[in-house]
């Protein structure tokens, strides 16, 4: 007996052993993450903006320190759980187990760590810790193995507790009671935040609420190429009583420039929001819709589940942001945050506190669950008085997957995944509308449903160059968004307005083929609320035309514009692997230390501007300016929009023989002054 007692560990040593195991497990996971990141973020090519050394003392450094502290805490708690279960086992079998506490602690820790890895593999197959094909994702008797394992562990713990509870009271039972109480509290803390959210209803509001719901990458025709119509029953239901504009376009088919046009009513040339991740100091947004409505007593809220390429903050007129953490931390932790414990905790109530960069973040798609963002809205959205709500849902954006799914690997898979994502974002849209109804918003509201841009998915109609372009030109226009002005489905957008409750808009619901643009959203909504058009905007208010549709004939001569964003060779080739994109694009980006945001280097902007494609389009025709890769004059292509057969223009068209082409030529050069050779610099046709 004395010999057995000598082999017992002191309590502090038992705790130390549990923490040593926890730290070893954490170190092993971090080593594996680092090994994978060498493929994703090559140290010899990554921009200094994202290097840990240069992040020390900056906002990014503080954010990464917070993540590291939360990660350490989770592993410490895992070690303490193993220690507590070992003590529980000792208390249940004092005669046999007390002599070997080290083995008990190691055994319980191995079981808990194994369950963590199994759960991560089961629920997050896109994680770098998950195998392509795993037994854990199969079902046994209709139940996932990890649930059977968890159930077995729970029963084992119950069997350990019962004999202790039947014994006369002893001080050791306090440990059991404390452990059980702690487990209950931890489980409660891990429940979805929305279960504890206090609702706040709108009450009687005289001024109408203004709601913009954006769905990222939603094609304006609501189809999945080569697979038929998308399954969108809730969007379809919204559209039945809405005023829909079937020929709506984005001035630049990327999220940040599009939303800047929505919020300001101004073209990207006017605001200088020419790219995603523009330097904040270079953007000239002026007054925004949020600013104008706040001056009328509105409270402005911007909410989205993905911020990776769109840096928005309160400076754009918002009172509140409901978003993941904006900046470089989102890029880094979207990859480095892929850790089994982080993945499991990030989707819980605790995850919102411990891992704000991973919680309800579509950018961290390995752990993102669509309901999670809706629950965050339920918990954080407050409606007190008239509100302006800008809500952006991003499920339909590449890579079209979320927790429990794998990234599609080939074009046919892209289409399938896109269709599934559109179906899911339709359900998410419905959940958001239900929330707005429950909060009383829809008792008096005007709701705009739009997409910031569309998505080309290799369909026959996704490129105007099918019959005239070379293989490289055709491919560049067939996929993604913001890559080609000769792909109508990239910059064609959904745009519809519907009134709810006491609110009303002029005209009758239905589809209008007017040539409109996202720049028209702000003037329309601002005139609806204030009774007058905002000054110095590029868009127009659609309210007068809805009231008097006959006046819409004035739009017959309207010219709209669109342009491309910065595209790496991988993007143009339809390859979206993070390793290729970051490797190619890193030299163009930098870290802004104070904010922690990633932004384009200002000195690179002239080079990037020179690479842009630009287009002017009327209801029937389009003129595109395509830059010469060798630095020569751009190539001009003119075509009918709906029956495209582009022909090359060698110079300014003759206004007498081809007035429509000349009108678009003049408009294109006026919209992009100094960026294209003047008409007099080229030979006349």
């Amino acid at each position: 007996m004395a010999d057995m007692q000598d082999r017992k560990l002191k309590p502090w040593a038992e705790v130390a052993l549990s923490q040593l195991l926890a730290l070893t497990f954490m170190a092993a996971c971090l080593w594996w993450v680092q090994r994978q990141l060498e493929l994703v973020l090559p140290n010899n090519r990554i921009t200094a903006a994202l290097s840990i050394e240069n992040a020390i003392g900056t906002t990014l450094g503080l954010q990464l320190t917070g993540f590291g502290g939360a990660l350490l805490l989770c592993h410490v708690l895992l070690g303490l759980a193993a220690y507590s279960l070992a003590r529980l086992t000792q208390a249940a079998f004092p005669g046999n187990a007390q002599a070997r506490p080290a083995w008990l602690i190691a055994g319980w820790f191995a079981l808990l760590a194994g369950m963590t890895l199994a759960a991560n593999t089961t629920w997050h197959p896109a994680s770098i810790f998950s195998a392509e094909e795993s037994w854990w994702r199969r079902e046994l008797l209709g139940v996932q193995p990890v649930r059977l394992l968890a159930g077995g562990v729970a029963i084992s713990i119950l069997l350990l507790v019962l004999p202790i509870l039947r014994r006369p009271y002893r001080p050791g039972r306090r440990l059991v009671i404390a452990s059980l109480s702690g487990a209950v509290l931890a489980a409660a803390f891990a429940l979805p935040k929305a279960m504890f959210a206090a609702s706040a209803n709108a009450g009687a509001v005289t001024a109408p609420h203004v709601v913009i719901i954006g769905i990222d990458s939603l094609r304006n025709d609501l189809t999945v190429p080569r697979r038929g119509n998308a399954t969108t029953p809730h969007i379809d239901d919204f559209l039945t009583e809405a005023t829909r504009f079937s020929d709506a376009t984005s001035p630049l088919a990327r999220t940040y420039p599009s939303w800047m046009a929505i919020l300001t009513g101004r073209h990207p040339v006017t605001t200088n929001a020419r790219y995603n991740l523009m330097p904040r100091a270079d953007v000239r947004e002026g007054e925004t819709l949020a600013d104008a409505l706040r001056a009328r007593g509105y409270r402005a809220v911007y909410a989205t589940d993905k911020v990776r390429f769109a840096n928005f903050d309160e400076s754009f007129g918002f009172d509140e942001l409901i978003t993941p953490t904006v900046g470089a931390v989102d890029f880094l932790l979207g990859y480095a945050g892929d850790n089994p414990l982080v993945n499991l905790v990030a989707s819980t109530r605790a995850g919102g506190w411990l891992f704000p960069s991973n919680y309800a973040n579509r950018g961290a798609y390995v752990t993102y669950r669509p309901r999670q963002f809706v629950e965050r809205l339920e918990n954080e959205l407050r409606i007190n008085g008239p509100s302006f709500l800008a809500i952006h849902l991003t499920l339909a954006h590449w890579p079209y997957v979320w927790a429990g799914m794998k990234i599609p690997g080939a074009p046919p898979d892209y289409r399938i995944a896109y269709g599934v994502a559109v179906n899911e974002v339709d359900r998410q849209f419905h959940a958001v509308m239900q929330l707005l109804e429950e909060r009383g918003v829809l008792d008096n509201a005007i709701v705009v449903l739009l997409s910031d841009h569309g998505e080309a998915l290799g369909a026959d109609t996704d490129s105007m160059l099918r019959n005239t372009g070379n293989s490289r030109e055709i491919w560049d226009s067939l996929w993604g968004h913001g890559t080609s002005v000769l792909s109508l489905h990239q910059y064609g957008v959904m745009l519809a307005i519907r009134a709810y409750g006491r609110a009303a808009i002029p005209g009758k619901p239905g589809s209008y083929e007017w040539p409109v643009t996202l720049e028209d959203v702000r003037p329309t909504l601002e005139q609806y609320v204030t009774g007058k058009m905002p000054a110095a905007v590029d868009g127009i208010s659609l309210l007068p035309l809805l009231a008097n549709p006959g006046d819409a004939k004035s739009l017959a001569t309207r010219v709209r514009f669109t342009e491309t964003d910065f595209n790496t060779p991988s993007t143009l080739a339809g390859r979206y692997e993070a390793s290729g994109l970051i490797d190619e694009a890193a030299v163009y980006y930098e870290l802004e230390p104070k904010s922690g945001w990633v932004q384009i280097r200002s000195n690179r902007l002239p080079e990037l501007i020179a690479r842009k494609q630009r287009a002017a389009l009327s209801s029937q025709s389009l003129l595109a300016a395509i830059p010469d890769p060798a630095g020569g004059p751009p190539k001009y292509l003119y075509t009918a929009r709906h029956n495209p057969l582009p022909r090359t223009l060698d110079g300014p068209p003759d206004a007498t023989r081809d007035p429509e082409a000349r009108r678009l030529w003049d408009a294109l050069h006026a919209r992009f002054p100094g960026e294209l050779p003047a008409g007099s610099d080229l030979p006349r046709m």
Side-chain angles (χ1 to χ4, degrees):
M1 178 66 69
D3 182 59
M4 291 179 64
Q5 293 295 327
D6 290 340
R7 294 200 302 268
K8 290 175 59 178
L9 295 175
K10 299 289 185 182
W12 66 265
E14 295 178 3
V15 174
L17 175 61
S18 71
Q19 295 309 300
L20 177 62
L21 292 171
L23 293 176
T24 301
F25 180 53
M26 183 176 74
C29 291
L30 290 175
W31 173 82
W32 182 251
V33 170
Q34 185 271 336
R35 182 178 176 184
Q36 299 303 308
L37 289 183
E38 288 179 353
L39 303 176
V40 177
L41 305 175
N43 292 331
N44 61 331
R45 297 294 299 277
I46 193 65
T47 174
L50 302 183
S51 69
I52 303 301
E53 294 82 0
N54 291 337
I56 296 175
T58 66
T59 297
L60 174 60
L62 295 175
Q63 292 167 335
L64 294 177
T65 299
F67 174 84
L71 180 65
L72 178 62
L73 175 62
C74 288
H75 284 84
V76 165
L77 293 176
L78 186 68
L80 290 177
Y83 165 75
S84 299
L85 290 170
R87 290 295 302 270
L88 180 64
T89 306
Q90 288 177 299
F93 303 103
N96 298 318
Q98 282 188 340
R100 298 182 180 276
W103 288 106
L104 286 174
I105 294 170
W108 275 112
F109 187 86
L111 180 59
L112 294 178
M115 286 181 59
T116 299
L117 293 170
N120 183 67
T121 294
T122 302
W123 297 322
H124 305 117
S127 170
I128 60 176
F129 290 87
S130 298
E132 285 291 326
E133 298 295 333
S134 174
W135 175 85
W136 288 101
R137 288 195 287 275
R138 301 176 184 176
E139 291 189 352
L140 298 177
L141 302 177
V143 181
Q144 292 174 317
V146 70
R147 297 187 185 275
L148 294 175
L149 178 60
V153 171
I155 292 173
S156 300
I157 294 174
L158 180 62
L159 293 176
L160 293 175
V161 171
L162 288 177
I164 299 175
L165 295 178
R166 288 198 299 264
R167 296 174 191 165
Y169 177 79
R170 292 179 182 175
R173 293 180 62 188
R174 296 176 183 171
L175 173 64
V176 176
I177 296 172
S179 298
L180 292 176
S181 300
V184 171
L185 290 174
F189 188 63
L191 289 174
K193 298 173 74 174
M195 296 183 65
F196 298 86
S199 63
N201 292 328
V205 177
T206 303
H209 299 287
V210 175
V211 181
I212 300 176
I213 299 180
I215 298 181
D216 208 307
S217 305
L218 186 67
R219 287 171 64 97
N220 59 348
D221 60 357
L222 292 179
T223 66
V224 180
R226 301 185 184 180
R227 304 190 67 83
N229 292 332
T231 306
T232 55
H234 304 298
I235 292 174
D236 295 343
D237 181 67
F238 177 92
L239 295 175
T240 57
E241 298 297 327
T243 298
R244 180 179 179 182
F245 303 95
S246 58
D247 184 16
T249 61
S250 168
L252 202 165
R254 290 285 167 88
T255 298
Y256 180 72
S258 291
W259 268 96
M260 283 295 297
I262 293 165
L263 294 173
T264 66
R266 302 181 180 96
H267 190 274
V269 169
T270 305
T271 63
N272 202 34
R274 305 293 295 276
Y275 298 96
N276 282 338
L277 301 176
M278 276 292 294
R280 181 68 181 92
D282 292 347
V283 177
R284 308 180 296 267
E285 77 278 7
E287 185 184 57
T288 67
L289 177 61
D291 291 322
L293 296 186
R294 287 176 69 194
R296 289 279 179 153
Y298 279 70
R299 185 169 183 273
V301 179
Y302 176 71
T304 184
D305 52 359
K306 185 177 180 181
V307 295
R308 184 156 297 176
F309 294 103
N311 293 340
F312 283 106
D313 63 5
E314 291 87 347
S315 68
F316 292 94
F318 294 104
D319 295 289
E320 182 183 5
L321 304 177
I322 303 176
T323 71
T325 306
V326 178
V329 67
D330 183 52
F331 285 87
L332 288 173
L333 296 184
Y335 303 110
D338 185 1
N339 180 288
L341 268 182
V342 174
N343 293 344
L344 298 180
V345 173
S347 60
T348 69
R349 185 171 183 257
W353 295 92
L354 294 173
F355 303 109
S357 294
N358 298 71
Y359 176 72
N361 185 356
R362 171 68 172 77
Y365 60 84
V366 170
T367 58
Y368 178 81
R369 298 184 185 279
R371 180 63 197 174
Q372 199 177 69
F373 178 64
V374 178
E375 290 172 347
R376 183 173 185 184
L377 287 178
E378 291 172 351
N379 184 66
E380 300 183 29
L381 183 62
R382 295 290 181 266
I383 306 297
N384 297 306
S387 300
F388 168 48
L389 308 177
I391 303 172
H392 186 50
L393 309 175
T394 65
L395 271 177
H397 192 282
W398 171 266
Y400 319 132
V401 296
W402 52 95
M405 304 172 68
K406 293 189 294 185
I407 297 177
D413 299 329
Y414 297 169
R415 300 186 187 100
I416 296 173
Y418 177 80
V420 173
V422 169
N423 187 15
E424 186 63 31
V425 82
D426 178 74
R427 287 191 286 267
Q428 200 178 38
F429 164 74
H430 178 59
V432 171
M433 293 296 288
Q434 283 186 316
L435 172 61
L436 297 180
E437 184 175 12
E438 292 167 1
R439 298 291 167 87
V441 173
L442 299 187
D443 293 342
N444 184 18
I446 181 169
V447 180
V448 176
L449 174 64
L450 55 80
S451 53
D452 54 342
H453 51 74
E455 190 81 341
L457 290 164
D460 293 339
T461 59
D462 281 348
S463 174
M464 292 181 168
L465 296 168
R466 283 287 195 183
N467 298 318
T468 60
N470 59 47
S471 60
R472 177 75 272 167
E473 292 171 334
I474 294 173
W475 183 263
D476 289 352
S477 62
L478 278 177
W479 299 98
H481 50 268
T483 64
S484 174
V485 298
L486 292 164
S487 178
L488 288 173
H489 284 296
Q490 292 193 24
Y491 54 84
V493 298
M494 168 69 67
L495 179 59
I497 306 175
R498 180 171 172 176
Y500 283 85
R502 298 188 301 277
I505 56 175
K508 296 181 179 180
S511 182
Y512 295 81
E513 297 182 357
W514 304 339
V516 302
T517 168
L518 292 180
E519 298 151 74
D520 301 334
V521 173
R522 180 205 169 179
T524 301
L525 294 178
E526 190 165 328
Q527 184 176 32
Y528 181 83
V529 172
T530 69
K532 62 180 182 179
M533 272 273 295
V537 294
D538 297 313
I540 62 173
S541 172
L542 301 175
L543 291 182
L545 303 180
L546 291 173
N548 299 287
D551 293 344
K553 61 185 179 182
S554 62
L555 297 179
T557 59
R558 189 181 194 189
V559 177
R560 294 162 293 167
F561 306 92
T562 193
E563 59 183 308
T564 56
D565 196 87
F566 168 41
N567 297 291
T568 69
S570 286
T571 302
L572 292 175
R575 299 190 302 271
Y576 299 97
E577 295 86 352
S579 57
L581 295 178
I582 292 174
D583 186 46
E584 293 167 358
V587 68
Y588 293 96
Y589 295 98
E590 65 184 358
L591 173 71
E592 201 290 305
K594 185 176 180 180
S595 66
W597 289 6
V598 175
Q599 62 186 27
I600 290 179
R601 298 176 185 269
S602 294
N603 63 346
R604 290 283 189 173
L605 288 174
E607 172 190 349
L608 298 181
I609 290 290
R611 297 186 190 179
K612 275 183 175 288
Q613 298 180 15
R614 302 162 180 83
L617 56 151
S618 64
S619 294
Q620 303 299 323
S621 305
L622 177 143
L623 174 67
I626 310 299
D628 178 12
K635 178 170 66 174
Y636 290 92
L637 298 176
Y638 178 69
T639 182
R641 286 179 56 199
H642 304 294
N643 187 23
L645 193 65
R647 60 184 174 91
T648 301
L649 302 182
D650 297 324
D654 185 277
T656 302
R657 291 183 298 173
D658 209 340
E660 178 69 355
R662 182 53 186 260
R663 190 170 70 91
L664 293 181
W665 178 282
D666 293 340
L668 184 68
H669 286 78
R671 176 71 277 179
F672 300 99
E675 297 182 16
L676 295 170
S680 59
D681 297 338
L682 295 172
R684 186 174 298 277
M685 293 179 63

